[in-house]
Amino acid sequence: AQSVTQLDSQVPVFEEAPVELRCNYSSSVSVYLFWYVQYPNQGLQLLLKYLSGSTLVKGIKGFEAEFNKSQTSFHLRKPSVHISDTAEYFCAVSHTSNTGNQFYFGTGTSLTVIP
Amino acid sequence: SQTIHQWPATLVQPVGSPLSLECTVEGTSNPNLYWYRQAAGRGLQLLFYSVGIGQISSEVPQNLSASRPQDRQFILSSKKLLLSDSGFYLCARTASGRPGELFFGEGSRLTVL
């Protein structure tokens, strides 16, 4: 079974400060890892993904994440946040089974950027 | 384009009334399709997924059902809504050439009164 844990439900941070949103996962099979962002009353948009290869993944909007297999973590970081980064962020894992792609999401982290 | 259309965008329904939410997708054929529910202040709960026409898998027992009458159409239904059915419903799809990635629609907000 797969599961995703986002350790922080809410993260306030001042504008231009760095931020890290934490994500841990558990899985008995190899998985793909993702971070999605959701702005109010909208669907989810992909920020970045890890499929294989380099453990440091760079995404859109200046975000990056590092896959750590030994710690089963995939934390999201940004060196300097902007007001427009205020949103809900979801970590997710997926794997392929004989019944198709399976996706599992964390409960989300609400990032609030303070002016 | 992996565009996903969801209709209606918002809906207010009384308890006990029926429900039909529609999702239509563009882009590559034979996508995997998903219905998620997002309750206020909570994460995404997978309700149903489909790997092809007429093939529906349910993740959580509830008074909701799903159908896939065409390759690019995925419908979420209920015969009698409960208050607990209120939430933000998201349709999502996979796309060939984009392994493991989900594309989401803009969502349908359902309020049951």
Side-chain angles (χ1 to χ4, degrees):
Chain A
Q2 281 65 240
S3 69
V4 180
T5 301
Q6 291 183 242
L7 299 168
D8 307 298
S9 60
Q10 295 183 338
V11 174
V13 62
F14 286 103
E15 191 175 14
E16 299 184 2
V19 69
E20 178 180 84
L21 306 183
R22 296 180 293 170
C23 173
N24 287 88
Y25 70 94
S26 65
S27 177
S28 56
V29 298
S30 295
V31 295
Y32 300 142
L33 296 160
F34 306 84
W35 275 98
Y36 287 85
V37 61
Q38 184 183 33
Y39 299 104
N41 295 310
Q42 294 186 24
L44 278 68
Q45 177 185 6
L46 182 69
L47 272 179
L48 48 79
K49 60 184 176 183
Y50 172 79
L51 304 181
S52 64
S54 173
T55 57
L56 183 62
V57 180
K58 293 187 183 299
I60 62 172
K61 303 180 187 291
F63 284 93
E64 64 179 34
E66 186 158 17
F67 169 57
N68 188 317
K69 188 174 182 180
S70 63
Q71 297 185 6
T72 60
S73 67
F74 191 56
H75 300 333
L76 180 71
R77 302 186 184 99
K78 186 170 183 177
S80 175
V81 296
H82 190 267
I83 294 293
S84 60
D85 293 324
T86 294
E88 191 84 11
Y89 292 79
F90 292 92
C91 181
V93 302
S94 80
H95 74 99
T96 302
S97 70
N98 55 4
T99 56
N101 295 108
Q102 302 298 317
F103 295 85
Y104 302 87
F105 286 84
T107 52
T109 296
S110 178
L111 174 65
T112 301
V113 180
I114 305 165
Chain B
S1 171
Q2 311 299 338
T3 304
I4 301 175
H5 301 282
Q6 287 191 241
W7 182 89
T10 59
L11 190 62
V12 180
Q13 291 286 93
V15 170
S17 64
L19 171 74
S20 180
L21 299 180
E22 186 166 333
C23 170
T24 58
V25 304
E26 300 176 5
T28 56
S29 59
N30 198 32
N32 289 357
L33 298 176
Y34 304 79
W35 276 112
Y36 285 89
R37 176 169 61 200
Q38 188 176 21
R42 301 181 65 180
L44 276 72
Q45 178 188 28
L46 178 62
L47 301 176
F48 300 95
Y49 69 94
S50 170
V51 299
I53 296 174
Q55 301 179 63
I56 309 294
S57 296
S58 174
E59 286 291 301
V60 181
Q62 61 235 317
N63 68 320
L64 300 172
S65 62
S67 62
R68 186 169 177 177
Q70 301 178 42
D71 181 48
R72 298 168 191 267
Q73 187 182 31
F74 201 27
I75 298 171
L76 183 69
S77 304
S78 174
K79 293 182 179 178
K80 288 185 177 182
L81 284 168
L82 305 173
L83 286 174
S84 58
D85 291 325
S86 292
F88 193 48
Y89 288 81
L90 290 163
C91 180
R93 64 163 292 164
T94 56
S96 61
R98 306 287 286 269
E101 186 176 338
L102 272 181
F103 295 87
F104 285 84
E106 290 298 306
S108 295
R109 184 165 299 284
L110 170 66
T111 303
V112 182
L113 301 176

